[in-house]
Amino acid sequence: MLAIKENALFVADSHYPHHGDDFLALLQKLDSGEIQTSQLFLMGDNFDLLFGYNDYIQTFSSEAILLLETLSETLEIHYFEGNHDFCLGTLFPHIKVYSREEQPVMFQLEDKKVAISHGDKYVTGFAYDLYCKILRNKIILTLLKPLEKAIINHRMKKLSQKHICFTFHGFEKRVEAILTHYADADLVIEGHFHQSKKVGKYISLPSQACQGLVAQVEEGQVVFKQL
């Protein structure tokens, strides 16, 4: 089982480039050495829209993509694909990329078993699960290439106008249902919900786009902070 190291950094739901440049700024500071970390956990939806098998979509985030490629040559990076960024394995060959199907992934933090996932794996419904399978299908993505610019431009415009920061009323109930799938974990770390909350053993990471925060391991504890 892989270990989560002291000073590891967790960055979730940056939604770059439409909802601020914090993600790009963080990558630049990691590249310059202004910010240092032992591991980088990208928890999904770090890009507002990015997927493999498509060159055009990369043009919207080319600087951040290049920085990640550079950083991955010397820094241990784990990327948990979200519902906005997926099929990234070929795009980031030096990053350990986990698809939705591979999540959650078990890690060790001192004496604790930690389950890590983007957060859209459980308690989602059949229709959403089917949508995810279709959307991530290589054949379908390839077939759509002749229409890629029209489809992507339309989608990018919609995403730029989307309200992504909100209070999830009844969130504790959702967490209770999610945790039924994590009986063997001592700690659960997920993004996706943009809530920046701890509910028992469940850590709902802050959204970098909404709260302007990340999470970092300090003395064996996961703390939320502004860098």
Side-chain angles (χ1 to χ4, degrees), residues 132-146:
C132 286
K133 285 184 180 296
I134 293 171
L135 196 63
R136 288 159 173 77
N137 186 281
K138 181 180 178 179
I139 295 173
I140 291 174
L141 290 174
T142 302
L143 288 173
L144 289 174
K145 284 184 76 68

Side-chain angles (χ1 to χ4, degrees), residues 11-20 23-24 27 42-51 57-69 79-86 88 91-92 95 118 156 159 164 194 208-209:
V11 186
D13 301 280
S14 312
H15 289 273
Y16 175 81
H18 291 135
H19 298 279
F23 183 58
L24 178 62
L27 296 179
L42 299 177
M43 296 297 296
D45 292 359
N46 297 97
F47 294 88
D48 211 20
L49 187 62
L50 182 65
F51 50 88
I57 190 62
Q58 297 176 34
T59 63
F60 293 87
S61 308
S62 56
E63 188 176 357
I65 292 169
L66 182 59
L67 276 168
L68 268 179
E69 291 174 339
Y79 203 128
F80 291 78
E81 292 185 342
N83 46 301
H84 286 248
D85 40 9
F86 47 86
L88 302 179
L91 186 57
F92 298 119
I95 293 177
H118 170 63
M156 291 294 271
L159 288 170
I164 66 169
H194 307 182
Q208 192 182 30

Side-chain angles (χ1 to χ4, degrees), residues 26-156:
L26 174 62
L27 296 179
Q28 291 169 334
K29 289 176 181 178
L30 285 168
D31 186 48
S32 70
E34 182 179 344
I35 293 175
Q36 297 188 1
T37 185
S38 56
Q39 292 168 304
L40 179 61
F41 288 82
L42 299 177
M43 296 297 296
D45 292 359
N46 297 97
F47 294 88
D48 211 20
L49 187 62
L50 182 65
F51 50 88
Y53 318 118
N54 187 286
D55 295 331
Y56 180 60
I57 190 62
Q58 297 176 34
T59 63
F60 293 87
S61 308
S62 56
E63 188 176 357
I65 292 169
L66 182 59
L67 276 168
L68 268 179
E69 291 174 339
T70 301
L71 286 167
S72 68
E73 294 176 2
T74 56
L75 177 63
E76 180 184 338
I77 304 178
H78 299 270
Y79 203 128
F80 291 78
E81 292 185 342
N83 46 301
H84 286 248
D85 40 9
F86 47 86
C87 300
L88 302 179
T90 56
L91 186 57
F92 298 119
H94 299 107
I95 293 177
K96 180 54 183 173
V97 176
Y98 305 96
S99 67
R100 184 174 184 264
E101 289 73 23
E102 294 172 293
Q103 300 174 39
V105 182
M106 296 300 295
F107 283 77
Q108 193 85 20
L109 177 59
E110 295 187 342
D111 61 343
K112 296 183 179 70
K113 290 189 295 184
V114 184
I116 301 180
S117 176
H118 170 63
D120 69 333
K121 181 67 176 286
Y122 300 122
V123 197
T124 53
F126 173 78
Y128 181 82
D129 291 341
L130 180 62
Y131 165 76
C132 286
K133 285 184 180 296
I134 293 171
L135 196 63
R136 288 159 173 77
N137 186 281
K138 181 180 178 179
I139 295 173
I140 291 174
L141 290 174
T142 302
L143 288 173
L144 289 174
K145 284 184 76 68
L147 304 171
E148 65 178 7
K149 288 192 175 181
I151 293 172
I152 290 172
N153 287 340
H154 174 76
R155 189 63 187 148
M156 291 294 271

